[in-house]
Amino acid sequence: MTRPDGGTHGGTHGGRGAAAGGGCGPALAELAARHGVDTRFRPFPDRPAGVPPETVVAVLGALGVDATTPGAVRAALARHDEQAAERLLPPCAVARTGTGARGRPPVPPGTALHVTLEDGTSREWDGTDGLPPGRHRLTARAPDGRTDTAPLIVAPPRLPGPPRRGHGLMVQLYSLLSQRSWGMGDLGDLADLASWAGRRLGSDFLQINPLHAAVPAAGGAPTDPSPYRPSSRRFADPVHLRVEDVPEFALLRGTDRERAGALLERADNLRESVLRKGALIDRDAVWALKREALHLLRRVPLGPGRTAEYLDFLAEQGRSLDDHATWCALAEAHGPDWRTWPAGLRDPRSGQTARARQERREEVDFHRWLAWLVHGQLVAAQRTARQAGMAVGIVHDLAVGVHPHGSDAWALQDELAAGMSVGAPPDAFSPHGQDWGLPPWRPDALAARAYAPYGELLHNLLRYAGGLRVDHVMGLFRLWWVPEGRPPTEGAYVRYDADAMLGVLALEAHRAGAVVVGEDLGTVEPGVREELAGRGILGTSVLWFERDHDGDGAPLPPGAWRDDCLATATTHDLPSTAARLTGEHVGLRHRLGLLARPLAEEQEEAAVEVAEWITVLERLGLLPEGRAGDEEEVVRAVHRFLLRTPARMVGVWLPDAVGDRRPQNLPGTWDQYPNWRLPVADAQGRPVTLEQLAASPRLQALADELRRLPTGTPRRPAAPLTGGAG
């Protein structure tokens, strides 16, 4: 996860420490503990720190708990105890199939439990007999006559993981242009890449960046290009559409057809400016062309079958899509920050909003229609990937949060914590902490709604996916909340019901038959990786970070790597392999003033790290003697190493396959570096199209190594590589 200025998230571990209170009085510390707010944390392993009382009060306030005075704290404690005594069941109960008595929520002795399953059937439940996965209803009847009801989420105890050990490609979709792209990679390119990689490389998956809807530009400023700061995680951005693949495009006639042709010519120029003239990817310019073309297509009547499909989609999406489309229409009229709209429109349930939805029904339905078009092309991309032989297919990415100005923040105000932002506490790498500018879920509100908002966004993503990467997966356990107006150093960890969050994730992934990969890089709270592994959620292991941290710090041999992971050489937030081998990543950071130490020291440390890995690769026989200076050979040796680990999934960063030196995102920068706007390029910095990539000798040589991956299950013979992209 990267914050708005490009910085990466960190993470430090620390206990709840309610007794110590971190400067809080005992009563305030106790109230905080009851609401999952930690009053202590550890910025360094040997240095515990306290959370300022003012922060604790602000965080509790965002959870609807008044702690502003000692009397308010006492009243809140009493109210919490009264509510707990009144209820027989938690707001939302969670169980696992086959877990026995552990699945039974704590209830008074003699309490009878009755379950109404989501299919409408009912049964008594003693907590030991198995229940099917799903969203059910639980009723408790105590011996004293009291009754209580609560939603019951039953999840599979463990996801099975990928059906076989396999390799795949990792790419930021916008960065991969073909000769048909409109200035940035699109869903047509995604399907084409998946078909080629599955059929020619024998790849089992294709991991991409989040395709979430972005907050549109305003006031002449460009749209935030970061895929990790979206307007909505529930719906994808129509900028990714391949316009010509919309069936109605072929039905354009007359002047509309002529206009579409002119737009295609302008799109060609936009694409060529990126590929041939050194221009950056400009999503606003791309969207301006696509939006005009899509308005032309909107005038083409849908046939009966397409009409039926569209109406079914609207019925399935319901209020969520209505809200998103309404926000999009209102943002066009009043600007993208809903907090500055006329007061009545700031509430999605107000009468004024309902009237505005009717007054702007044409614009609202245009955005509903766009969501349906994107839905169709996303479905097609995953279908293409599976037809190409991929065991998993497209692995989508779930950002950790949403932009405070955007669609989800407007529609889900009751479920998001007002006045709070997700970030990271101070640590050795970021002594001032981090503020990512993303409002967090309220754990109490999620429980009150049986985690429906969280489950809905997972369902919407997984319907198009063979896998899901969860950014900053540690956030399912706790998040660092930063009160508005305070520095990131004055935040606090707020804990979530990890059993429930993981249970909903497991349930939706189980229903979709999808693999889940958690991004668990950085310092992780003890027990988190073990819990994720126990659930069948794969971790993320990056070559340069895999060391014996409990021993001499040397690189871990391949046999010591965990098997429940996606293993890779780099990610979108890290230097490419070629940049590491040449030291260019240090030079880049030096030119931008990002180094904390003298250049010579940084260069020496980077060179020592590379030399250490070269020695490992040579010792294991993965790098032929005398080839340490051959960059391409070392890149292949790095991937030979990854293939020798037991990792269930081995990912190849696509820019690595053609020698790209530039990172897609440089942490610590905003406008100093073109984050999220670079096309995939070769070692000389020349953009590489999808067609050129398919014919690249460097990629073909790396593909030869990938075919040697032992899968543990039969794989169809890989077809020979050709120069075509199909």
Side-chain angles (χ1 to χ4, degrees), residues 352-684:
Q352 187 173 342
T353 298
R355 288 191 296 274
R357 182 181 290 118
Q358 286 301 313
E359 292 166 358
R360 300 182 179 276
R361 55 185 174 273
E362 289 298 325
E363 297 98 314
V364 171
D365 200 48
F366 176 67
H367 289 285
R368 291 191 188 105
W369 176 75
L370 291 178
W372 174 60
L373 296 183
V374 178
H375 160 78
Q377 293 194 7
L378 285 168
V379 169
Q382 172 63 5
R383 182 172 59 243
T384 298
R386 295 304 299 272
Q387 289 173 345
M390 288 188 171
V392 174
I394 310 299
V395 178
H396 284 267
D397 199 348
L398 175 64
V400 72
V402 294
H403 198 292
H405 298 177
S407 166
D408 284 0
W410 177 72
L412 300 174
Q413 293 175 51
D414 293 340
E415 287 77 34
L416 297 174
M420 294 289 145
S421 175
V422 175
D427 59 22
F429 299 100
S430 182
H432 301 296
Q434 299 176 29
D435 184 343
W436 304 335
L438 309 171
W441 289 119
R442 280 183 55 167
D444 59 326
L446 281 180
R449 288 201 56 194
Y451 297 87
Y454 175 54
E456 178 186 294
L457 74 88
L458 291 173
H459 173 78
N460 273 3
L461 270 174
L462 287 165
R463 67 193 304 174
Y464 314 119
L468 181 67
R469 175 189 180 271
V470 180
D471 189 43
H472 193 61
V473 72
M474 298 84 79
L476 300 182
F477 295 78
R478 65 177 185 176
L479 283 172
W480 184 255
W481 287 22
V482 181
E484 185 176 352
R486 292 187 175 274
T489 52
E490 297 182 13
Y493 274 120
V494 175
R495 294 186 176 271
Y496 293 79
D497 185 340
D499 196 45
M501 299 292 280
L502 292 171
V504 174
L505 175 59
L507 175 60
E508 295 299 337
H510 164 77
R511 286 175 159 172
V515 175
V516 177
V517 178
E519 186 272 292
D520 59 349
L521 300 176
T523 306
V524 184
E525 188 179 17
V528 167
R529 286 196 174 105
E530 293 77 8
E531 178 66 20
L532 293 173
R535 296 283 193 139
I537 297 173
L538 304 182
T540 302
S541 293
V542 177
L543 178 113
W544 305 95
F545 302 155
E546 289 299 307
R547 293 177 173 271
D548 183 8
H549 296 292
D550 296 326
D552 60 5
L556 278 181
W561 283 43
R562 53 181 172 171
D563 61 355
D564 51 350
C565 75
L566 165 65
T568 183
T570 191
T571 72
H572 59 267
D573 278 334
L574 297 171
S576 69
T577 304
R580 281 194 187 272
L581 296 176
T582 60
E584 291 187 24
H585 64 304
V586 177
L588 175 60
R589 292 180 63 82
H590 171 67
R591 292 192 297 274
L592 295 175
L594 300 176
L595 297 183
R597 297 180 298 170
L599 174 61
E601 288 185 24
E602 295 277 358
Q603 288 175 324
E604 181 180 3
E605 181 177 290
V608 168
E609 181 182 38
V610 169
E612 195 172 25
W613 276 102
I614 292 291
T615 299
V616 170
L617 297 174
E618 289 177 334
R619 187 175 66 245
L620 294 173
L622 302 174
L623 179 63
E625 186 176 352
R627 302 292 297 276
D630 184 337
E631 177 195 307
E632 291 189 37
E633 187 63 46
V634 177
V635 170
R636 289 195 290 272
V638 163
H639 288 88
R640 292 181 192 119
F641 182 97
L642 295 176
L643 297 175
R644 190 171 287 192
T645 72
R648 295 284 294 160
M649 299 173 72
V650 175
V652 177
W653 176 236
L654 189 59
D656 269 354
V658 289
D660 200 342
R661 302 286 203 272
R662 307 170 303 176
Q664 280 294 314
N665 176 58
L666 185 60
T669 63
W670 177 234
D671 57 1
Q672 309 98 310
Y673 184 80
N675 295 314
W676 320 112
R677 288 170 288 170
L678 293 172
V680 174
D682 63 16
Q684 288 72 45

Side-chain angles (χ1 to χ4, degrees), residues 201 657 693-705 707 721-723:
L201 304 186
L693 185 143
S696 165
R698 181 167 179 157
L699 186 146
Q700 291 181 21
L702 182 56
D704 289 339
E705 304 297 338
R707 293 195 191 94
L721 281 163
T722 69

Side-chain angles (χ1 to χ4, degrees), residues 30-395:
E30 180 60 31
L31 182 63
R34 294 188 190 187
H35 290 276
V37 181
D38 288 358
T39 55
R40 296 186 68 81
F41 69 102
R42 290 183 180 270
F44 305 96
D46 59 347
R47 193 186 309 170
V51 174
E54 297 81 5
T55 295
V56 175
V57 171
V59 170
L60 286 172
L63 292 169
V65 180
D66 182 5
T68 53
T69 66
V73 170
R74 290 191 297 271
L77 283 169
R79 186 163 53 252
H80 183 275
D81 290 344
E82 290 170 2
Q83 292 173 346
E86 291 172 357
R87 298 219 58 173
L88 295 174
L89 296 170
C92 180
V94 180
R96 305 185 205 180
T97 58
T99 56
R102 287 183 298 154
R104 180 184 175 93
V107 292
T111 299
L113 297 178
H114 183 86
V115 176
T116 301
L117 302 178
E118 62 182 1
D119 65 4
T121 61
S122 301
R123 68 173 73 170
E124 297 299 320
W125 185 49
D126 64 6
T128 62
D129 53 321
L131 293 175
R135 291 179 170 271
H136 313 306
R137 192 75 187 171
L138 181 63
T139 301
R141 298 184 182 87
D144 61 6
R146 289 182 300 154
T147 62
D148 198 5
T149 62
L152 172 64
I153 297 172
V154 178
R158 179 181 173 83
L159 296 172
R164 65 188 179 204
R165 188 167 185 245
H167 62 77
L169 300 177
M170 303 158 57
V171 67
Q172 302 279 289
L173 178 58
Y174 60 83
S175 71
L176 184 65
L177 284 71
S178 72
Q179 289 298 333
R180 294 184 61 192
S181 305
W182 288 36
M184 61 182 283
D186 60 33
L187 291 172
D189 297 322
L190 176 63
D192 207 13
L193 177 63
S195 180
W196 172 75
R199 297 176 189 279
R200 295 293 183 258
L201 304 186
S203 295
D204 269 343
F205 66 92
L206 177 55
Q207 180 185 303
I208 58 173
N209 55 285
L211 303 184
H212 307 320
V215 176
T223 297
D224 185 344
S226 172
Y228 293 93
R229 194 167 152 83
S231 172
S232 174
R233 296 187 293 175
R234 298 184 294 175
F235 298 97
D237 199 306
V239 76
H240 300 111
L241 282 168
R242 170 68 64 80
V243 174
E244 305 95 305
D245 288 352
V246 177
E248 285 68 39
F249 186 87
L251 302 178
L252 288 172
R253 297 290 184 269
T255 57
D256 283 353
R257 184 73 181 182
E258 293 175 3
R259 182 58 187 158
L263 291 172
L264 283 172
E265 290 183 6
R266 290 171 59 189
D268 289 343
N269 294 334
L270 191 59
R271 179 186 64 248
E272 292 305 303
S273 69
V274 174
L275 295 177
R276 310 283 177 245
K277 301 178 182 178
L280 297 175
I281 291 169
D282 184 345
R283 67 177 293 140
D284 290 330
V286 173
W287 177 235
L289 293 179
K290 289 189 176 182
R291 181 184 176 85
E292 186 173 348
L294 288 163
H295 272 294
L296 296 176
L297 300 188
R298 179 75 173 140
R299 297 205 286 257
V300 178
L302 296 176
R306 293 271 286 167
T307 298
E309 292 174 14
Y310 179 47
L311 294 176
D312 284 350
F313 178 76
L314 295 183
E316 180 183 2
Q317 294 298 317
R319 193 173 81 175
S320 295
L321 180 56
D322 289 346
D323 284 346
H324 177 65
T326 300
W327 181 90
C328 291
L330 293 177
E332 292 172 349
H334 302 288
D337 185 355
W338 60 271
R339 299 174 302 181
T340 66
W341 293 354
L345 298 180
R346 298 174 200 168
D347 178 1
R349 307 290 161 247
S350 73
Q352 187 173 342
T353 298
R355 288 191 296 274
R357 182 181 290 118
Q358 286 301 313
E359 292 166 358
R360 300 182 179 276
R361 55 185 174 273
E362 289 298 325
E363 297 98 314
V364 171
D365 200 48
F366 176 67
H367 289 285
R368 291 191 188 105
W369 176 75
L370 291 178
W372 174 60
L373 296 183
V374 178
H375 160 78
Q377 293 194 7
L378 285 168
V379 169
Q382 172 63 5
R383 182 172 59 243
T384 298
R386 295 304 299 272
Q387 289 173 345
M390 288 188 171
V392 174
I394 310 299
V395 178

